[in-house]
């Protein structure tokens, strides 16, 4: 038994241990530089979006990878792929398919066993995936119904290419980075340090704040309240799925289904 | 049953929402009160989690009625009714679930204490008690593992591990006396919590109760484990005392049995001794009586008179040795050491005198072999003579006629070692361990005469000189008795 036959030292690692500080500072510097330049010189269209995607999603993903024990250059590779995909998307919406390279890179890291700390190792329980599908479908369906009832939002029609591009972005950047950081890294560390409830509250609060600060979110009270409502439920559900299954995949599935419903609305992306 | 209840509750929520929407989506519809039924049912059935989930599901469904109404009409009495229903459902779900969970935990705690008491009933060994309690606690606490350690005097009895490793959680609790909580052991996809609490009886820590669980082990549950630990400590202390009493009883029984057996053997040996000693005393007395009567009744030639006087003197000397042995034994049994008058004694001369005493016939089978420049020993001359006489007497008695008996002496540091070596029958291993006991005679001595006192007296005399004595023997090959006495420096 561990408590009897294994030596133990009191004390725990800091919550933010292994954070790639220099990389995050560099990304913050890039954002600041982009904003400064945008005020002084005309930038190419979509340049700020490229910087924002690289800094926002890249910072989350690189931090998650570093917390899992990967070297900083693994995060740098992910950021480079994100930048490339964002640049390609500015040139042509089909370039968003480039975002799919990021999950491939993460899958390669996971296959070599380096992302076990993020819940990306071993088999994925089928029941957890089924529960994730139900959760994502319920929240997504509820969003579609509520949005159409309260805000009069209609589904996108005849713009399948944009929806697919947004879905590729979600798969390779938005959902992947958020689930890796807020669930695999932050919630996982917090629940191991304190408790499930504390981890859930911390991860959910950070998750909601991240999306409320997202410049792409419509700045109306209804959208902000709705985002807080659905993202809180999604985050809580995904934390439970992660705790229950020990895998990050079910939460990713639920989030993808929810964001797929979100992309069907005539806003976002 | 639980699945059916959950399904019925979900169906009820969906049906009520559908009916309210179909009736115009009035937030103040009387049907909204039906939401409380599945919430209360699930809170009572599944506790806090059931209450929270059912309340959450209700809020999500009812929101599709209330929020559009607020969007359309603002805060009207109807929409406020809807918001109050929100609060009521959430409160009922949370409160009902929490109270149910607490009541269940309390009941589970009492049931666990009862199960522990049952597990310990009739268990007399501490190890078995720990195993039983551990099995009960793993089952009752839903733990991945439970460890129990109890101090029993100098030893530590542990269940779930061979021993307590230094620096482990259990070791720290034992030494520090305070409970320790480890939120995660660090291995596994889900957190593995560990909580270890001291088992305290009368203010003294007697052991540790450690619980490992995959998942949550919250503050309330840790407090419950601490409270449970107090009960387990008392129960285990009782088991420990019972176990110790049983061990003492077993040990006492064993010692009494050994002592009884020893006394019986001693009694038997004394009975044999009385018979043998009577015979040994009677033999020289008979000789003295017979020869004295002959001398008194007949006129014999001077040579014959001298021969008979010699025999009478030898028999008297033998009688004197037996009496001396008996007196020495009497002193030994009273815990007194033999009285010694120590003086430097030449070893070679003492060996030669003893050898001459036992030489008989034309063949000289007694060989004296002393190292050169041997120092004298610091000994009582009479005691040394009796030691040698006893050893040589035994060697001669138990050796075949004409076989050689050697008396050797050599220096060994500050001592002089004297050795009596024969090529007789030898002594069996089981008898060799007991030959220095008073009254003991080896079982296969046959018709050889003896009281069983000689070697006991020899050992007492050697010990009184501060020397040592040892016996090496092989059955059929002979015996070597070596004793040492302090040399005069």
């Amino acid at each position: 038994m561990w408590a009897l036959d294994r030596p133990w030292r009191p004390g725990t690692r800091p919550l933010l241990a292994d954070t790639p500080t220099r990389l995050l500072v560099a990304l913050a510097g890039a954002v600041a530089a982009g904003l400064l330049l945008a005020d002084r010189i005309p930038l190419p269209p979509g340049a700020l979006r490229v910087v924002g995607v690289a800094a926002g999603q890249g910072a989350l993903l690189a931090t998650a990878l570093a917390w899992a024990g990967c070297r900083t250059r693994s995060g740098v590779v992910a950021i480079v792929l994100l930048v490339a995909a964002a640049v390609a998307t500015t040139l042509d919406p089909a370039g968003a398919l480039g975002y799919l390279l990021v999950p491939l890179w993460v899958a390669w890291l996971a296959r070599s066993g380096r992302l076990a700390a993020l819940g990306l190792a071993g088999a994925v329980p089928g029941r957890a995936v089924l529960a994730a599908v139900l959760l994502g479908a319920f929240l997504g369906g509820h969003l579609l119904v509520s949005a159409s009832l309260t805000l009069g939002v209609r589904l996108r029609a005849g713009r399948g290419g944009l929806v697919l591009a947004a879905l590729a972005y979600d798969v390779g950047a938005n959902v992947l980075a958020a689930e890796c950081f807020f669930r695999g890294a932050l919630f996982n560390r917090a629940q191991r340090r304190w408790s499930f409830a504390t981890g859930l509250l911390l991860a959910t609060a950070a998750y909601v704040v991240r999306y409320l600060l997202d410049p792409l979110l419509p700045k109306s009270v209804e959208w902000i309240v709705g985002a807080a409502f659905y993202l809180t439920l999604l985050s809580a559900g995904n934390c439970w799925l992660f705790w229950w299954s020990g895998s990050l995949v079910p939460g990713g599935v639920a989030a993808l289904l929810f964001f797929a419903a979100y992309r069907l609305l005539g806003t976002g992306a | 049953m639980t699945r059916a209840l959950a399904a019925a509750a979900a169906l009820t929520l969906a049906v009520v929402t559908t009916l309210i929407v179909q009736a115009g989506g009035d937030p103040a519809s009387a049907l909204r009160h039906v939401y409380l039924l599945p919430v209360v049912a699930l809170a009572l059935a599944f506790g806090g989690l059931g209450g929270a989930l059912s309340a959450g599901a209700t809020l999500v469904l009812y929101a599709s009625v209330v929020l559009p109404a607020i969007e359309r009409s603002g805060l009207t009495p109807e929409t406020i009714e809807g918001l109050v229903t929100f609060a009521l459902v959430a409160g009922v779900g949370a409160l009902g679930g929490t109270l149910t969970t607490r009541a269940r935990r309390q009941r589970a705690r009492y049931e666990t204490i009862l199960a522990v008491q049952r597990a310990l009933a009739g268990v007399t060994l501490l190890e078995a008690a720990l195993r039983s309690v551990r099995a009960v606690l793993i089952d009752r606490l839903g733990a991945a593992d439970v460890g129990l350690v109890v101090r029993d005097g100098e030893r530590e009895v542990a269940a779930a591990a061979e021993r307590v490793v230094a620096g482990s959680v259990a070791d720290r609790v034992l030494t520090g006396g305070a409970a320790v909580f480890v939120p995660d052991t660090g291995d596994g996809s889900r957190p593995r919590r560990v909580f270890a609490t001291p088992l305290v009886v009368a203010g003294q820590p007697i052991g540790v109760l450690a619980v490992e669980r995959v998942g949550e082990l919250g503050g309330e549950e840790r407090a419950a484990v601490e409270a449970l630990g107090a009960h387990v400590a008392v129960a285990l202390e009782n088991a420990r005392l019972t176990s110790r009493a049983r061990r003492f009883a077993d040990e006492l029984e064993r010692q009494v049995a050994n002592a009884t057996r020893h006394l019986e053997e001693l009694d038997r040996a004394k009975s044999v001794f009385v018979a043998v000693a009577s015979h040994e005393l009677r033999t020289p007395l008979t000789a003295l009586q017979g020869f004295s009567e002959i001398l008194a009744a007949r006129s014999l030639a001077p040579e014959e008179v001298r021969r008979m006087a010699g025999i009478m003197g030898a028999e008297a000397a033998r009688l004197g040795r037996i009496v001396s042995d008996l007196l020495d034994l009497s002193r030994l049994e009273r815990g007194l050491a033999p009285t010694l008058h120590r003086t430097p004694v030449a070893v070679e001369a003492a060996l030669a005198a003893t050898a001459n005493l036992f030489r008989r016939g034309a063949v000289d089978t007694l060989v004296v072999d002393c190292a050169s420049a041997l120092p004298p020993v610091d000994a009582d001359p009479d005691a040394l003579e009796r030691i040698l006489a006893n050893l040589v007497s035994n060697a001669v008695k138990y050796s075949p006629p004409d076989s050689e008996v050697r008396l050797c002496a050599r220096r060994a540091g500050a001592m002089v070692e004297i050795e009596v070596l024969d090529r007789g029958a030898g002594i069996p291993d089981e008898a060799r361990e007991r030959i220095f006991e008073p009254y003991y005679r080896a079982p296969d001595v046959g018709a050889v005469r003896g009281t069983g006192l000689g070697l006991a007296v020899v050992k007492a005399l050697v010990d009184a000189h501060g020397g040592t004595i040892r016996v090496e023997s092989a059955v059929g090959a002979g015996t070597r008795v070596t004793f040492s006495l302090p040399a005069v420096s």
Side-chain angles (χ1 to χ4, degrees):
Chain A
M1 184 189 189
W2 186 92
L4 270 63
D5 56 21
R6 298 275 292 276
W8 170 74
R9 281 182 145 186
T12 52
R13 295 182 70 206
L15 181 68
L16 302 180
D18 301 328
T19 301
T21 313
R22 279 186 285 185
L23 180 61
L24 296 184
V25 169
L27 289 173
V31 172
L35 291 174
L36 282 174
L37 286 174
D39 285 344
R40 293 160 196 260
I41 58 172
L43 290 176
L48 278 181
R49 181 180 168 85
V50 171
V51 173
V53 168
Q57 312 292 9
L60 292 177
L61 197 51
T63 304
L65 295 178
W67 283 15
C70 293
R71 302 175 74 170
T72 306
R73 65 184 178 197
S74 300
V76 173
V77 170
I79 292 170
V80 169
L81 292 175
L82 284 169
V83 169
V87 171
T89 306
T90 59
L91 300 175
D92 189 309
L97 293 175
Y99 283 115
L100 299 179
L101 290 174
V102 185
L104 290 178
W105 169 242
V106 172
W108 186 82
L109 289 174
R111 194 177 173 189
S112 60
R114 281 181 273 181
L115 300 184
L118 293 183
L120 287 172
V124 181
R127 293 173 65 188
V129 174
L130 179 62
V133 169
L134 292 175
L135 175 68
F138 174 74
L139 288 178
H142 197 279
L143 170 70
L144 292 177
V145 172
S146 298
S148 60
L149 283 175
T150 57
L151 303 176
V153 177
R154 295 288 175 265
L155 297 186
R156 289 181 177 184
R159 300 176 70 186
L162 285 179
V163 172
L164 285 177
L167 285 176
Y169 169 75
D170 285 337
V171 171
N174 176 30
V175 169
L176 180 69
E179 290 306 313
C180 281
F181 180 75
F182 293 107
R183 238 66 60 193
L186 185 60
F187 167 72
N188 198 14
R189 272 197 180 186
Q191 69 153 345
R192 289 176 189 277
R193 189 184 177 90
W194 296 296
S195 67
F196 171 81
T198 310
L200 185 147
L201 286 175
L202 182 64
T204 299
Y207 186 68
V208 172
V209 167
R210 173 254 176 273
Y211 281 103
L212 294 184
L213 294 178
D214 194 323
L216 297 180
L217 182 73
K219 293 296 179 282
S220 69
V221 176
E222 292 83 359
W223 278 102
I224 289 173
V225 171
F229 176 75
Y230 287 109
L231 291 173
T232 298
L233 291 179
L234 180 64
S235 177
N238 281 358
C239 285
W240 178 78
L241 283 170
F242 184 85
W243 177 85
W244 181 43
S245 66
S247 171
L248 196 61
V249 174
V253 170
L256 277 176
L257 284 172
F258 173 77
F259 277 99
Y262 175 69
R263 300 302 179 193
L264 288 174
L265 297 175
T267 185
Chain B
M1 179 66 184
T2 53
R3 283 186 181 182
L5 183 62
L11 187 64
T12 305
L13 290 176
V15 168
V16 169
T17 306
T18 306
L19 290 175
I20 291 176
V21 170
Q22 281 188 341
D26 180 11
S29 166
L31 279 171
R32 73 186 189 282
H33 298 301
V34 183
Y35 279 130
L36 286 173
L37 291 178
V39 171
V40 170
L42 292 183
L44 292 176
F46 301 107
L49 184 64
L53 286 179
S54 58
T58 304
L59 298 186
V60 168
L61 291 172
Y62 193 41
S64 59
V65 174
V66 177
L67 295 182
I70 295 175
E71 184 74 20
R72 284 193 307 269
S73 319
L75 287 177
T76 63
E78 287 76 20
T79 54
I80 290 175
E81 281 286 331
L83 291 176
V84 169
T85 304
F86 266 9
L88 190 64
V89 166
V92 167
L95 191 64
T98 304
L99 291 177
T100 303
T101 300
R102 284 193 179 177
R104 284 183 178 172
R105 282 182 182 160
Q106 193 69 17
R107 190 180 69 185
R109 204 176 303 164
Y110 288 127
E111 286 176 350
T112 303
I113 293 168
L114 196 61
V116 167
Q117 299 289 359
R118 281 184 184 146
L120 290 176
V123 178
T124 53
L125 283 177
L126 185 57
E127 288 82 352
L130 289 183
R131 282 196 300 271
S132 300
V133 173
R134 179 174 174 248
V136 167
L137 292 182
I138 287 176
D139 180 40
R140 294 279 173 173
L141 299 178
D145 205 350
V146 168
L148 279 160
V149 182
V150 172
R151 280 182 179 148
D152 185 22
E154 291 300 312
R155 67 179 187 141
E156 277 177 2
V157 183
E162 288 290 317
R163 62 189 180 87
V164 177
V165 170
S168 64
V169 169
D171 181 53
R172 289 178 190 278
V173 172
L174 271 175
T175 52
V180 169
F181 175 58
V182 181
D184 184 28
T185 61
D187 43 4
S189 59
R190 293 173 65 186
R192 189 180 178 97
R193 325 271 191 203
V194 175
F195 181 65
T197 182
L199 302 176
V200 179
V201 172
Q204 295 296 317
I206 64 155
V208 177
L209 165 63
V211 177
E212 291 185 13
R213 185 190 280 170
V214 177
E216 290 306 289
L217 190 57
E220 197 177 333
E221 286 180 284
R222 296 202 295 274
V225 170
E226 274 193 292
L228 181 64
H231 291 279
V232 171
V234 173
L236 285 178
E237 177 68 357
N238 289 338
R240 189 178 71 84
L241 292 176
T242 306
S243 173
R244 175 176 280 191
R246 173 58 62 95
R247 279 209 314 279
F248 283 160
D250 290 345
E251 177 66 18
L252 194 62
E253 190 178 329
R254 195 176 59 79
Q255 288 191 1
V256 167
N258 283 344
T260 305
R261 192 166 55 248
H262 183 68
L263 287 174
E264 285 172 353
E265 285 178 6
L266 203 60
D267 190 50
R268 201 161 38 244
K270 277 192 171 177
S271 299
V272 172
F273 167 75
V274 168
V276 170
S278 303
H279 179 71
E280 290 292 307
L281 290 170
R282 181 181 293 273
T283 304
L285 277 176
T286 305
L288 286 173
Q289 187 180 11
F291 283 118
S292 62
E293 285 174 358
I294 290 171
L295 287 173
R298 297 182 190 176
S299 296
L300 299 171
E303 294 76 16
E304 189 64 12
V305 170
R306 271 197 296 275
R307 189 183 70 81
M308 288 188 180
I311 293 172
M312 290 172 70
E315 292 297 327
R318 189 173 146 206
L319 197 57
R321 281 201 302 274
I322 294 173
V323 172
S324 295
D325 284 351
L326 284 171
L327 287 174
D328 284 341
L329 182 70
S330 170
R331 288 179 63 83
L332 284 176
E333 289 191 336
R334 282 183 287 143
L336 301 173
T339 306
L340 301 177
H341 302 287
R342 299 172 78 149
T343 183
V345 179
V347 175
E348 189 167 7
L351 295 185
T354 305
N356 285 334
L357 198 63
F358 285 90
R359 281 195 177 106
R360 56 189 179 229
V363 180
D364 185 2
T365 60
L366 278 165
V367 178
V368 176
D369 179 13
C370 284
S372 60
L374 198 62
V377 291
D378 179 25
D380 182 321
D382 291 337
L384 179 57
E385 184 189 335
R386 288 175 58 206
I387 292 170
L388 290 169
N390 264 308
L391 295 180
V392 174
S393 169
N394 281 347
V396 170
K397 277 194 295 186
Y398 293 109
S399 296
D402 300 331
S403 76
E404 187 180 82
V405 174
R406 295 183 70 86
L407 283 81
C408 308
R410 61 181 172 273
R411 177 147 198 173
M415 310 292 281
V416 171
E417 278 193 349
I418 300 169
E419 190 177 281
V420 178
L421 173 67
D422 68 55
R423 306 202 182 285
I427 307 168
D429 287 346
E430 61 276 13
R432 197 166 63 237
E433 295 171 0
R434 300 188 58 193
I435 56 175
F436 292 119
E437 293 177 14
Y439 314 118
Y440 180 77
R441 300 193 72 208
D444 56 348
V445 293
V448 178
R449 292 165 57 186
T451 59
L453 300 180
L455 286 177
V457 171
V458 164
K459 185 169 188 328
L461 290 173
V462 171
D463 288 345
H465 280 89
T468 60
I469 185 167
R470 65 179 186 274
V471 177
E472 299 155 79
S473 184
V475 174
T479 301
R480 181 199 307 267
V481 181
T482 307
F483 68 96
S484 64
L485 295 174
V488 176
S489 56

